[in-house]
Amino acid sequence: MTQKLDTLQETASQTAGPFVHIGMVPTYAGLGGIYEEEIGTSTFSDGAKGDVIEITGTIIDGAGFVMRDGMFEAWQADANGIYPGQDGVDPNVSGWARVCADPESGEWTLRTIKPGSSVNRDGKEQAPHIAIWVVARGINIGLQTRIYFDDEDNSGDPVLSRIEHKHRIDTLLAKKTEDGKYRFDIRLQGEGETVFFDM
Amino acid sequence: MSNRQPAETTPLIPRNRDVHPVAYDPNYKTSVTRSPNFPLLAMESTVTEETGPVFNQNKLGPLDNNLIMNWTQGKAPAVGERILMHGRVLDESGRPVPNTLIEIWQANAGGRYRHIKDTYFAPLDPNFGGCGRTVTDENGHYQFLTIRPGAYPWPNRANDWRPMHIHVSLFGSGFGQRLITQMYFQGDPLIDLCPILSTVKDRAQVDRLVAPLDLASSKPLDFLAYRFDIVMRGRRQTMFENKPEGM
């Protein structure tokens, strides 16, 4: 026998289900007005420094079907790579938004400020990226991934450099389609499967 | 940007995936095409996961945690068995998680959601919306007043029914702590038949999703109470963190 550790286990995750919108984006679900102010509607407000960009994409399941019910949360630093909660952050950047697929087409758009590179505890610099947490019916625990940008220098990024199958890094790169616009599709399973993290 | 200092954040404890549901479970059919084939790429949390959204509590309205009254802005109560859902949010080290946002959503007393995709013929309750939100107090306590949701059938296997449940979303202080779970009710015979609940393979973890009746917190002639404590992913806090690279 040994001493007993007094650490606790995390509560088990459960799927967000098909009606997640009621709780997280009530206006989208048809419950507009239940709250005076809904949260997560934008990562930034007027006056935020940096370039406004638009990222468009879909979430695709293992059958190749574009999901109409998928949603994700985005979390990112400001244009200088400072996260909300850290000293010196742009007061007009909340860094966090909820993004839903269009119920008809399945396409989503994230309009945001292009984040700067950020610095980790160990002083290593991360290339500009947006953290993504995908939840939906059929996803039992939220899937973590990241959007990087194909017009940035990603060569020194400590996370991307850990990906052994180099060709899969491409699944994390938003492709510039025109000035200020990018394309990023999330593939949950199968060919071109997006890299998901446990971090 | 080399003039910037290393982040003064605290690392997250790596997630113990054994206490969570499996991603792929053929009994929960939708998970079959929505579960990655490749293993997750595991690594230590970065500043990205160690920081998280900060909410202004002034955005919360006085009825936001009262689902019996919030849809009608206090004009008329929802139909159903009145309950208090309450509990504490702790981290893996047993510390309270204060000032953290909790959101819930649920079906009405007949098992029907107020959502365009819910086609179950149980009627909507004109006095019930189905969502609420609150923040934990300094000791990690939270409470909601709501009605007990009904069980309902869903298209999966030929005759699957969801046990009575309330969806719960939590933030913590870092984006890597983000968690969505479901609370179930003591004594519901559908619990052991539910293919979604049984994606959690550790029976003790399943039991921890079932809230017991908490008669001591109920209010006579008004509402029953169910207690649901939640544990969130914690942070490692030793004096040997934040060492410069290479040491």
Side-chain angles (χ1 to χ4, degrees):
Chain A
M1 294 297 280
T2 64
Q3 291 188 3
K4 197 168 156 47
L5 284 170
D6 63 358
T7 48
L8 304 173
Q9 296 291 351
E10 191 182 2
T11 298
S13 169
Q14 290 273 268
T15 181
F19 309 123
V20 56
H21 315 99
I22 296 172
M24 306 223 299
V25 280
T27 301
Y28 174 100
L31 282 80
I34 193 162
Y35 299 140
E36 200 171 310
E37 194 174 339
E38 199 161 312
I39 58 170
T41 51
S42 179
T43 58
F44 69 103
S45 52
D46 290 347
K49 296 179 192 70
D51 299 326
V52 176
I53 59 170
E54 223 174 75
I55 308 169
T56 300
T58 53
I59 306 173
I60 302 161
D61 73 10
F65 185 71
V66 171
M67 291 161 52
R68 268 62 176 178
D69 64 321
M71 68 168 290
F72 62 83
E73 291 182 0
W75 171 242
Q76 64 167 81
D78 69 11
N80 288 320
I82 314 284
Y83 282 92
Q86 291 188 297
D87 289 342
V89 70
D90 184 336
N92 293 312
V93 171
S94 74
W96 177 76
R98 287 173 164 159
V99 182
C100 296
D102 181 273
E104 303 301 324
S105 70
E107 195 158 86
W108 53 263
T109 296
L110 171 61
R111 189 168 174 272
T112 189
I113 297 288
K114 195 171 193 194
S117 59
S118 52
V119 184
N120 279 331
R121 277 177 280 111
D122 59 8
K124 281 187 187 158
E125 197 161 320
Q126 302 191 94
H129 67 277
I130 302 172
I132 299 296
W133 187 65
V134 187
V135 293
R137 169 172 70 95
I139 297 175
N140 291 328
I141 180 166
L143 293 167
Q144 290 177 298
T145 186
R146 287 182 171 194
I147 300 176
Y148 286 83
F149 299 91
D150 75 345
D151 58 346
E152 295 284 342
D153 177 9
N154 297 306
S155 57
D157 184 82
V159 170
L160 293 181
S161 66
R162 285 283 308 277
I163 298 174
E164 181 189 357
H165 304 119
K166 296 296 176 201
H167 66 280
R168 296 193 66 213
I169 292 175
D170 196 54
T171 68
L172 301 179
L173 300 182
K175 309 291 190 303
K176 191 168 188 168
T177 53
E178 55 183 289
D179 241 19
K181 299 210 170 176
Y182 296 85
R183 178 81 196 182
F184 187 81
D185 292 303
I186 299 168
R187 290 182 173 80
L188 298 186
Q189 185 192 84
E191 196 180 333
E193 181 176 308
T194 301
V195 174
F196 295 104
F197 297 104
D198 181 10
M199 57 196 292
Chain B
M1 295 290 172
S2 54
N3 57 333
R4 285 174 300 161
Q5 298 300 305
E8 291 179 11
T9 46
T10 313
L12 296 171
I13 296 171
R15 226 170 203 145
N16 177 4
R17 294 269 162 180
D18 291 343
V19 305
H20 285 292
V22 295
Y24 170 88
D25 190 330
N27 283 337
Y28 178 20
K29 294 182 181 179
T30 315
S31 76
V32 170
T33 53
R34 295 186 172 192
S35 45
N37 288 335
F38 285 110
L40 304 177
L41 180 58
M43 66 184 81
E44 174 141 289
S45 60
T46 73
V47 64
T48 311
E49 295 74 36
E50 291 157 7
T51 53
V54 184
F55 299 104
N56 177 0
Q57 295 188 20
N58 299 328
K59 286 185 177 180
L60 298 188
L63 289 177
D64 282 5
N65 69 341
N66 183 344
L67 286 76
I68 292 179
M69 300 303 283
N70 67 0
W71 179 244
T72 61
Q73 316 288 345
K75 291 187 192 74
V79 171
E81 182 185 325
R82 299 161 63 85
I83 61 166
L84 177 77
M85 166 190 178
H86 76 128
R88 259 186 116 186
V89 183
L90 303 175
D91 70 14
E92 290 169 280
S93 307
R95 285 181 293 246
V97 181
N99 307 314
T100 196
L101 183 70
I102 304 183
E103 296 163 293
I104 65 170
W105 63 99
Q106 63 170 91
N108 69 20
R112 171 78 184 270
Y113 285 92
R114 187 176 287 280
H115 190 287
I116 191 164
K117 289 280 169 64
D118 191 354
T119 54
Y120 185 34
F121 55 73
L124 286 171
D125 173 355
N127 296 336
F128 187 72
C131 62
R133 59 185 187 178
T134 192
V135 288
T136 54
D137 69 14
E138 66 273 20
N139 297 311
H141 287 285
Y142 73 91
Q143 41 188 324
F144 290 97
L145 196 63
T146 186
I147 51 93
R148 178 142 88 157
Y152 58 85
W154 59 296
N156 187 55
R157 297 174 301 193
N159 189 20
D160 273 325
W161 290 70
R162 289 308 320 281
M164 302 174 287
H165 66 279
I166 295 177
H167 297 263
V168 187
S169 159
L170 301 113
F171 281 83
S173 53
F175 195 55
Q177 291 173 285
R178 218 43 198 92
L179 179 70
I180 288 178
T181 186
Q182 298 181 30
M183 180 192 104
Y184 301 86
F185 292 85
Q186 178 185 4
D188 187 340
L190 293 170
I191 285 174
D192 285 340
L193 305 175
C194 177
I196 287 179
L197 193 40
S198 66
T199 59
V200 179
K201 301 307 176 190
D202 179 334
R203 181 69 216 192
Q205 285 293 98
V206 170
D207 291 344
R208 289 181 53 214
L209 297 180
V210 184
L213 178 71
D214 175 15
L215 206 54
S217 298
S218 66
K219 185 178 176 193
L221 305 178
D222 190 338
F223 55 76
L224 281 173
Y226 285 86
R227 168 103 185 184
F228 189 55
D229 293 331
I230 300 162
V231 176
M232 300 200 71
R233 188 179 177 190
R235 290 176 188 265
R236 213 167 59 218
Q237 293 195 329
T238 74
M239 61 187 294
F240 300 107
E241 300 297 348
N242 299 329
K243 61 183 195 294
E245 193 178 340
M247 279 184 70

